Amino acid sequence: MNKLLVRIIMPALWLLVQFVSLAGNSKIDSLMTLVPGKEGTALADLYLEVSEVYSYTNPLKSIEFAERALAVVDTVANLEQTCYSYLLIGNGYINVGEFQKAKPYIDRGLERAEGLGDAKYISVGKSALAAFYMNVGNYDQALDLFQETLQTAIANKMEDREARARLNIGAIYTTTGERAEGLRYMTEALRYFESVGNRTISSRILNNIAVNYHSWKDYDLALKYYRRTLRTYEAESNYLGKVMVLNNIGEIYKDQGHYEMALKYYDQIFDLADQHEVSAFYMAVAKVGMADTYLKLDERAKAKQYAEECLKVFKQANMQEGIVHAQLVLAELDFKEGRLNKALQQTKSSLDLAEAMGIQDLVQEIYLLMSQILEAQNRYQESLKSYRHFMAISDSLIRERQHHQLALHRAEVNISEKESEIELLQKDNEIKDLQLIRQKTQSRTLIIAVGLLIVVIALSLSYNKARTRSNILLQEKNKQITDQHEELLRVNQTKDKFLSIIGHDLRNPIGAFKDMVSQLAEFPEMFNEELRNQILEELRDEAESTYFLLDNLLLWAKTQKNNIQFKPEKLKLNLVIKNNIILNTRIAARKKITLKSAISDDVLVNADHNMIDLVVRNLLSNAIKFTPEEGKVNILVKDESPDFVEVSIKDNGVGISEKDLPRLLDPNDHLSTYGTGNEKGSGLGLVLCREFIEMNGGKLEIQSRVGRGSTFSFTLKKYRAEQA
């Protein structure tokens, strides 16, 4: 499952901090030594400065000191400090993933900034508000606010604010799939932050650039950038940054199928959480990746546990993209375990959210899963429609990828030109060196142009190949649908034939039943008491036989609709067999058939009582039906296997021919013959017996010879104490 969320795009919100490193901790210590000698606005300024330093390394501490500043400011009524306190608190809550808590503070801070008319704080407030909308999935609103921030920064010549706005705009474009445009904005931001030596935000930009390579499946280059970012964060003791990058590296290994390696990186995040105050939100992001990894390893219990845990956190934070990813893991789990309706419901809910956010990669993934679920439900037309949506987005992403590659090369050219300009500023002879660089640039441009042409040709060939492969897949899908349609017609014809047989078998006994009852009611004087009792006995037998036939028919219909509930329990086998012998004693007595059973009271099985009762009743009834007068029917139980019990119902009746044996259990045949007493059956009972025995984990076997009798044997799982 392709996860864009957990390849974390890290926005640089709006903070004034330039360096966060080990020196930051020393700075905090120095600032805290000044607290005892400060009060009023001076103390508030001190708390705000400490809150700034904590913003990237420990958001909870940042919130704590901003709240201390706010408490002091309330006593001295400083509007500017109040404004900045609210914005720092809002920023802290966003960094720990508690977005709904963040917004009221951001709104209050922005309101006061506009009251002050201060361009810097207005820019700060709008950026924070945009970060809120970005994290809850409203990318359009976030983009508009960041664009406003950019224009304000340009108009007021605030270079730092301008660079941060470009980074955040690039992050939104990257998340929504417009990676070429996102890369352009992030490259412009990178130039500025490298020029002022801000390693922290430069590392964040490198992480975001790595996300693009990750999405383009250039895993080696993505890993190179991720590891470079990780080294920076380790040097700065920035554990929150490490959490995000470790998660992204885990995603690389997961996408490559190296699941054990992916889990090692996710586990490092949990180790960091044990040592530091990592918020539930960032842990939830890691748990999404772990849930997907365990699902691919088919460890379904762990996959469900982690997916449900992170879904709860994302819903509390109203993190729409996180909700979609957690729901998709659960939907795929439901699909694998056969809960198709629940899986489809989860998938449709996820599709609505993903389309509202405009994340095409995610929408594509949902359509593919939806197609598979609909196919499993035999809803082939809807499945094909979803698959076509999937293919349409695939084609769009292929074309977009070509554009991305071209934009990537242009960005690399721009970075190289900037580096050349910096080198020129360090030389004494500026004019001469500028001419030299211009010549180099022209040569490089020519080489790159040729390279770009080769890339375009290669991508075009790749695109055509992908289109051809897609058409082949579509043809195979259409053929599969046609074959399944033909199979469905054949099965329906078989069912129609079977229902016709059932109707015929029911009509005769019910018609005879009706005629005999009518005569008894209208002409009672024609029947003496002995004859009347004999007729009533026959009518009772006919009614029981017809009821038995109807009961089998209804159960068969339920199995065809998958409405049979399987409820295994601790079951005494001797009670089931004795009960059915009692029920069939009168019928056996009429044919002078001896019924015997040999089973001890302590034979326990783990099975569904109703299903096994029906199996024994059908097999015993069949044995009596096809055994002549004065015959024998024996029920034997073997308890020789460590895991299974074998039950055999053996008769010395007419037997079954070798050519008819395969037809007995064919669900599309329903072989039906008359018994030795002219008894009639539908041929349905044995089909039900086999299905119910297999649902209980056993097997049904038949041995028979014409004129020598038949033995029907089935196995059941033994009951174990740990199954209770």
Side-chain angles (χ1 to χ4, degrees):
M1 186 178 293
N2 181 22
K3 299 230 175 284
L4 297 181
L5 167 78
V6 288
R7 298 171 191 167
I8 303 172
I9 291 291
M10 300 186 289
L13 300 181
W14 46 265
L15 297 176
L16 303 177
V17 182
Q18 296 300 316
F19 301 97
V20 181
S21 61
L22 289 173
N25 293 328
S26 300
K27 183 176 181 181
I28 291 171
D29 294 338
S30 299
L31 291 171
M32 293 305 296
T33 61
L34 301 175
V35 169
K38 300 289 184 180
E39 60 182 19
T41 57
L43 180 59
D45 278 337
L46 189 61
Y47 283 147
L48 289 173
E49 191 172 357
V50 173
S51 177
E52 285 179 357
V53 179
Y54 270 130
S55 291
Y56 281 125
T57 60
N58 194 331
L60 293 175
K61 285 289 186 181
S62 178
I63 294 170
E64 176 190 337
F65 280 94
E67 287 177 339
R68 289 190 190 183
L70 189 60
V72 174
V73 169
D74 284 343
T75 64
V76 296
N78 186 302
L79 185 58
E80 183 175 336
Q81 289 179 329
T82 302
C83 169
Y84 194 37
S85 297
Y86 280 132
L87 293 176
L88 277 169
I89 294 170
N91 174 74
Y93 279 124
I94 285 179
N95 277 339
V96 297
E98 297 189 35
F99 309 123
Q100 301 306 320
K101 283 187 178 181
K103 191 171 185 300
Y105 288 101
I106 296 170
D107 289 340
R108 294 172 198 161
L110 182 57
E111 179 184 358
R112 284 160 177 75
E114 290 173 341
L116 287 168
D118 189 303
K120 180 183 70 175
Y121 285 122
I122 291 173
S123 175
V124 164
K126 286 185 176 180
S127 294
L129 188 59
F132 164 79
Y133 284 120
M134 180 178 177
N135 281 286
V136 298
N138 191 339
Y139 294 108
D140 291 339
Q141 185 74 23
L143 184 59
D144 290 343
L145 285 166
F146 279 135
Q147 292 284 12
E148 290 179 19
T149 303
L150 177 61
Q151 296 307 316
T152 301
I154 293 173
N156 290 275
K157 297 181 179 180
M158 296 184 294
E159 289 185 292
D160 188 79
R161 299 270 74 73
E162 178 184 344
R164 292 169 191 269
R166 292 188 187 279
L167 169 55
N168 291 324
I169 292 169
I172 291 180
Y173 279 132
T174 296
T175 303
T176 55
E178 298 182 50
R179 297 190 182 88
E181 190 70 6
L183 191 59
R184 182 173 68 84
Y185 275 95
M186 285 191 286
T187 303
E188 291 171 354
L190 181 61
R191 292 197 196 105
Y192 171 78
F193 288 115
E194 286 186 337
S195 70
V196 298
N198 191 326
R199 295 178 60 194
T200 299
I201 297 185
S202 296
S203 296
R204 288 200 166 204
I205 299 173
L206 289 173
N207 176 83
N208 294 353
I209 291 174
V211 169
N212 286 286
Y213 287 114
H214 191 164
S215 300
W216 292 329
K217 301 187 186 305
D218 191 342
Y219 298 126
D220 291 338
L221 197 53
L223 270 176
K224 175 183 176 182
Y225 278 106
Y226 283 146
R227 294 190 190 284
R228 181 175 167 186
T229 307
L230 183 61
R231 286 195 297 270
T232 300
Y233 287 141
E234 286 174 342
E236 297 175 347
S237 296
N238 186 342
Y239 70 87
L240 194 56
K242 287 176 64 177
V243 165
M244 293 185 284
V245 179
L246 286 170
N247 188 85
N248 288 352
I249 294 175
E251 284 296 301
I252 286 274
Y253 286 114
K254 176 168 70 70
D255 290 347
Q256 289 180 310
H258 304 318
Y259 302 126
E260 298 301 330
M261 183 64 74
L263 289 175
K264 288 182 180 179
Y265 276 90
Y266 294 136
D267 287 339
Q268 289 185 54
I269 296 174
F270 285 87
D271 292 340
L272 280 173
D274 291 337
Q275 302 169 23
H276 304 281
E277 294 180 272
V278 177
S279 70
F281 172 78
Y282 288 104
M283 295 305 298
V285 172
K287 287 178 180 179
V288 171
M290 293 191 76
D292 191 28
T293 304
Y294 280 122
L295 185 60
K296 287 178 168 56
L297 289 170
D298 207 33
E299 296 188 35
R300 299 179 184 179
K302 289 184 178 179
K304 183 179 181 182
Q305 173 193 339
Y306 285 116
E308 289 178 342
E309 287 177 4
C310 64
L311 179 60
K312 181 179 179 181
V313 174
F314 289 138
K315 283 185 175 180
Q316 289 174 345
N318 194 28
M319 178 62 168
Q320 300 296 304
E321 191 177 352
I323 293 171
V324 171
H325 285 293
Q327 285 182 343
L328 274 181
V329 174
L330 292 172
E332 188 171 349
L333 182 62
D334 287 331
F335 172 56
K336 285 188 174 185
E337 296 188 344
R339 296 184 291 273
L340 301 181
N341 289 334
K342 186 177 179 182
L344 186 61
Q345 182 181 359
Q346 294 255 39
T347 309
K348 287 181 177 178
S349 172
S350 300
L351 180 62
D352 292 339
L353 292 175
E355 288 184 331
M357 290 185 290
I359 304 178
Q360 289 302 302
D361 300 60
L362 197 51
V363 173
Q364 177 196 26
E365 177 185 339
I366 295 170
Y367 272 125
L368 179 59
L369 179 57
M370 186 179 293
S371 173
Q372 294 168 344
I373 296 171
L374 290 168
E375 181 182 0
Q377 291 182 321
N378 299 329
R379 296 161 65 178
Y380 300 115
Q381 293 296 331
E382 296 173 76
S383 173
L384 181 59
K385 183 178 179 181
S386 294
Y387 186 76
R388 284 173 175 164
H389 280 301
F390 163 75
M391 291 304 302
I393 297 173
S394 295
D395 291 344
S396 173
L397 292 177
I398 289 172
R399 289 192 297 271
E400 188 178 359
R401 190 171 292 117
Q402 294 173 348
H403 178 63
H404 290 165
Q405 294 293 345
L406 293 174
L408 177 62
H409 284 290
R410 285 199 297 270
E412 289 174 347
V413 171
N414 290 336
I415 293 173
S416 297
E417 289 175 348
K418 183 65 179 179
E419 291 172 349
S420 298
E421 291 173 7
I422 294 172
E423 290 175 1
L424 286 174
L425 292 174
Q426 297 174 351
K427 298 180 180 180
D428 296 329
N429 196 342
E430 186 174 352
I431 297 176
K432 181 178 179 180
D433 287 345
L434 282 172
Q435 292 173 344
L436 179 61
I437 292 300
R438 189 179 298 112
Q439 292 172 358
K440 290 182 179 180
T441 302
Q442 290 173 350
S443 299
R444 189 182 299 112
T445 302
L446 179 61
I447 293 171
I448 291 175
V450 173
L452 286 176
L453 180 60
I454 294 172
V455 170
V456 170
I457 294 172
L459 289 174
S460 298
L461 293 173
S462 175
Y463 171 73
N464 291 333
K465 184 177 179 181
R467 289 280 295 184
T468 303
R469 184 167 60 252
S470 299
N471 289 334
I472 293 172
L473 288 174
L474 187 58
Q475 290 172 3
E476 291 176 352
K477 181 69 71 172
N478 287 335
K479 183 179 183 302
Q480 182 182 1
I481 291 172
T482 302
D483 293 343
Q484 290 171 337
H485 176 68
E486 292 174 355
E487 175 66 14
L488 182 61
L489 290 176
R490 187 185 69 78
V491 171
N492 281 337
Q493 289 172 357
T494 301
K495 289 181 180 179
D496 291 342
K497 175 183 175 183
F498 173 70
L499 291 174
S500 175
I501 295 171
I502 291 294
H504 179 269
D505 291 347
L506 286 174
R507 183 175 181 180
N508 288 340
I510 292 176
F513 191 92
K514 173 179 173 294
D515 293 341
M516 188 59 69
V517 171
S518 296
Q519 290 184 23
L520 284 171
E522 294 176 9
F523 308 104
E525 67 278 359
M526 294 178 58
F527 304 92
N528 57 37
E529 185 175 356
E530 181 181 355
L531 182 57
R532 188 181 298 111
N533 289 338
Q534 181 182 349
I535 291 172
L536 287 174
E537 185 76 16
E538 291 177 357
L539 286 176
R540 183 177 67 177
D541 291 345
E542 196 65 51
E544 287 180 355
S545 176
T546 304
Y547 179 81
F548 190 34
L549 177 62
L550 279 172
D551 194 31
N552 277 346
L553 175 60
L554 291 173
L555 284 171
W556 175 80
K558 284 185 176 182
T559 62
Q560 301 305 298
K561 294 171 65 179
N562 294 323
N563 283 346
I564 290 290
Q565 292 187 348
F566 175 55
K567 297 180 178 178
E569 58 182 297
K570 177 182 178 182
L571 190 62
K572 281 192 173 184
L573 199 54
N574 69 314
L575 295 180
V576 177
I577 293 174
K578 287 180 181 179
N579 182 58
N580 279 281
I581 288 176
I582 292 170
L583 290 175
N584 285 277
T585 298
R586 182 177 50 78
I587 299 172
R590 289 184 57 194
K591 297 176 73 174
K592 299 178 182 178
I593 294 173
T594 303
L595 300 179
K596 290 185 178 180
S597 69
I599 177 172
S600 63
D601 293 343
D602 59 351
V603 176
L604 301 177
V605 295
N606 186 49
D608 185 294
H609 182 276
N610 292 329
M611 291 184 180
I612 303 308
D613 190 58
L614 179 136
V615 170
V616 175
R617 186 165 75 248
N618 269 279
L619 295 181
L620 187 57
S621 175
N622 281 351
I624 295 171
K625 183 186 301 181
F626 294 105
T627 299
E629 290 190 359
E630 298 184 355
K632 295 180 181 179
V633 176
N634 293 327
I635 303 176
L636 307 173
V637 175
K638 292 182 181 180
D639 188 5
E640 299 174 356
S641 168
D643 299 314
F644 290 91
V645 172
E646 182 181 84
V647 181
S648 299
I649 299 179
K650 183 177 182 179
D651 64 66
N652 60 348
V654 297
I656 307 162
S657 66
E658 187 174 350
K659 66 182 181 62
D660 284 337
L661 276 175
R663 299 177 59 194
L664 285 177
L665 300 178
D666 187 347
N668 299 318
D669 195 335
H670 305 295
L671 175 66
S672 175
T673 59
Y674 287 91
T676 57
N678 208 32
E679 303 99 329
K680 187 68 177 72
S682 66
L684 180 61
L686 284 177
V687 175
L688 279 172
C689 287
R690 187 192 67 177
E691 290 187 8
F692 283 178
I693 289 168
E694 290 178 353
M695 287 175 70
N696 281 271
K699 291 184 179 179
L700 175 64
E701 294 184 354
I702 305 172
Q703 296 178 344
S704 184
R705 292 181 63 182
V706 175
R708 300 289 295 275
S710 305
T711 301
F712 289 78
S713 302
F714 63 92
T715 57
L716 294 173
K717 292 181 178 180
K718 287 185 177 180
Y719 176 79
R720 304 294 185 193
E722 60 267 19
Q723 294 171 336

